[in-house]
Amino acid sequence: MEGVVKGMSFWNNRNVFITGCTGFLGSYLAKELVNLGANVTGLIRDIVPQSNLYTGEEYKKINMVFGSIEDEPLLERILGEYEIDTVFHIAAQAIVGVANRNPLATFETNIRGTYNLLEAARRSPLVKRIVVASSDKAYGEQTQLPYHEDMPLKGSHPYDVSKSCTDLLAQAYHKTYGLPVCITRCGNLFGGGDLNFNRIIPHTIMSVLRGERPVIRSDGNFIRDYFYVEDAVKAYLLLAEKMTDLNLEGQAFNFSNEIQLTVLELVNKILALMKSYLTPVILNQGSNEIVHQYLSAKKAREVLGWRPSFTLEEGLIRTIDWYRKFFGKDAGKSES
């Protein structure tokens, strides 16, 4: 309970701005900050009625500003008028397949959106801390694993490049202008509320609930780092709370439960948790993706005292429960 009280004392009445607050991670972060007593302002591009943001009552306490991360004057207005103290830059085009099909739109959102946000913050003297969401994809393909924070950023496909750029821009604004920014690099986030059903976890759960065989686009052997969304929220908040006191500005932190799983192993784990006898369809069509990725979270453990609160299984069970409710109480009951 001490951590909760400490968190409440830090965030209570603090003016916080979140980009992408109707998105998957942004919705969880916004709701948690409301519950911790913060004054939350969120940038919303599209109205997404099914967003996790609108479950519960927290959204009624959020200042919602409709607009685009590509609109730098709007960002300056938000930071000024709402007297923002802390910024979480979460907004991004986050789907690898979409980035491959539409690279320019992805670059506009992920690269231009990031430098607009950083420039607006540079011009806003009240901003004391900024946390920018990068990704494990920013590292690109490396000869040694796991990824650690001092490795070069070597994205080579459109989404990966956009995240390498996001990361480097944040570092540049700190080194050149002293902007108080930290960077997060997380594995593949999962949890209830992810409405991108082309991602493997929500796709698999939805398929089982519909009595259909889940589809794996790749050969099933890609190895990934899967990270539960509620653990990600705690990681973001902890980093923001400690970045000034521990003089962490300009640094990047990996967050991971440090468990390696192939896509096929993950799908089979979900099928087992859902007590399903279905088997996956393996298309073997994966392209422009890194084969093997996983992160070391040693720095976060040692510097921040961070550790995940949920095991992979606990996170998956909570995720499955969310989608059962989302698709209806009787979803999947006829499947055996």
Side-chain angles (χ1 to χ4, degrees), residues 114-135:
T114 296
Y115 67 66
N116 279 348
L117 185 280
L118 294 169
E119 181 63 15
R122 183 175 76 90
R123 296 166 178 266
S124 304
L126 296 181
V127 173
K128 300 293 190 296
R129 63 192 60 77
I130 306 152
V131 178
V132 170
S134 180
S135 167

Side-chain angles (χ1 to χ4, degrees), residues 276-298:
S276 172
Y277 296 101
L278 294 166
T279 56
V281 178
I282 299 174
L283 298 180
N284 198 17
Q285 293 176 347
S287 63
N288 290 341
E289 292 193 51
I290 299 164
V291 174
H292 192 172
Q293 295 180 299
Y294 74 104
L295 293 159
S296 167
K298 180 180 179 183

Side-chain angles (χ1 to χ4, degrees), residues 35-285:
N35 290 327
L36 291 171
N39 303 317
V40 177
T41 299
L43 180 66
I44 296 174
R45 185 188 65 179
D46 300 330
I47 297 173
V48 183
Q50 291 184 313
S51 168
N52 181 59
L53 184 71
Y54 303 118
T55 62
E57 300 293 312
E58 292 93 348
Y59 74 93
K60 296 178 181 178
K61 298 180 180 178
I62 295 173
N63 305 316
M64 296 184 182
V65 180
F66 291 88
S68 165
I69 193 72
E70 292 89 349
D71 185 348
E72 197 274 342
L74 174 66
L75 299 177
E76 281 197 45
R77 180 181 74 78
I78 293 168
L79 297 179
E81 289 188 10
Y82 291 95
E83 299 185 311
I84 298 300
D85 168 273
T86 301
V87 176
F88 291 98
H89 177 41
I90 313 294
Q93 194 299 104
I95 306 299
V96 171
V98 174
N100 288 336
R101 290 191 302 271
N102 301 297
L104 292 185
T106 298
F107 295 154
E108 282 289 301
T109 299
N110 295 5
I111 301 175
R112 185 178 170 199
T114 296
Y115 67 66
N116 279 348
L117 185 280
L118 294 169
E119 181 63 15
R122 183 175 76 90
R123 296 166 178 266
S124 304
L126 296 181
V127 173
K128 300 293 190 296
R129 63 192 60 77
I130 306 152
V131 178
V132 170
S134 180
S135 167
D136 59 349
K137 308 296 184 294
Y139 289 110
E141 293 197 59
Q142 304 279 349
T143 56
Q144 290 184 311
L145 290 169
Y147 298 138
H148 50 82
E149 287 85 352
D150 57 359
M151 282 180 166
L153 304 180
K154 299 166 46 176
S156 55
H157 303 304
Y159 177 74
D160 311 345
V161 165
S162 77
K163 282 302 184 178
S164 297
C165 290
T166 291
D167 207 307
L168 289 167
L169 284 165
Q171 294 180 49
Y173 265 80
H174 171 72
K175 290 175 183 173
T176 306
Y177 306 110
L179 201 66
V181 60
C182 278
I183 300 153
T184 61
R185 300 170 185 159
C186 298
N188 290 15
L189 291 180
F190 74 94
D194 185 358
L195 301 179
N196 291 299
F197 288 100
N198 55 1
R199 287 189 177 133
I200 192 66
I201 291 177
H203 166 77
T204 300
I205 296 170
M206 178 180 70
S207 296
V208 173
L209 291 175
R210 293 177 172 178
E212 301 168 354
R213 295 174 67 190
V215 174
I216 296 175
R217 291 190 303 272
S218 68
D219 62 3
N221 292 317
F222 286 9
I223 294 174
R224 291 289 182 268
D225 212 321
Y226 297 97
F227 188 43
Y228 184 54
V229 65
E230 292 186 62
D231 276 326
V233 168
K234 292 179 181 181
Y236 274 70
L237 294 177
L238 182 65
L239 178 57
E241 290 170 21
K242 294 195 171 186
M243 62 185 286
T244 303
D245 290 346
L246 297 182
N247 194 28
L248 304 176
E249 288 91 341
Q251 296 189 38
F253 285 83
N254 292 340
F255 291 105
S256 165
N257 58 16
E258 299 178 297
I259 295 172
Q260 299 179 69
L261 276 182
T262 66
V263 173
L264 184 57
E265 287 171 337
L266 175 71
V267 169
N268 285 331
K269 190 178 286 286
I270 294 169
L271 291 167
L273 288 170
M274 297 183 75
K275 297 180 172 56
S276 172
Y277 296 101
L278 294 166
T279 56
V281 178
I282 299 174
L283 298 180
N284 198 17
Q285 293 176 347

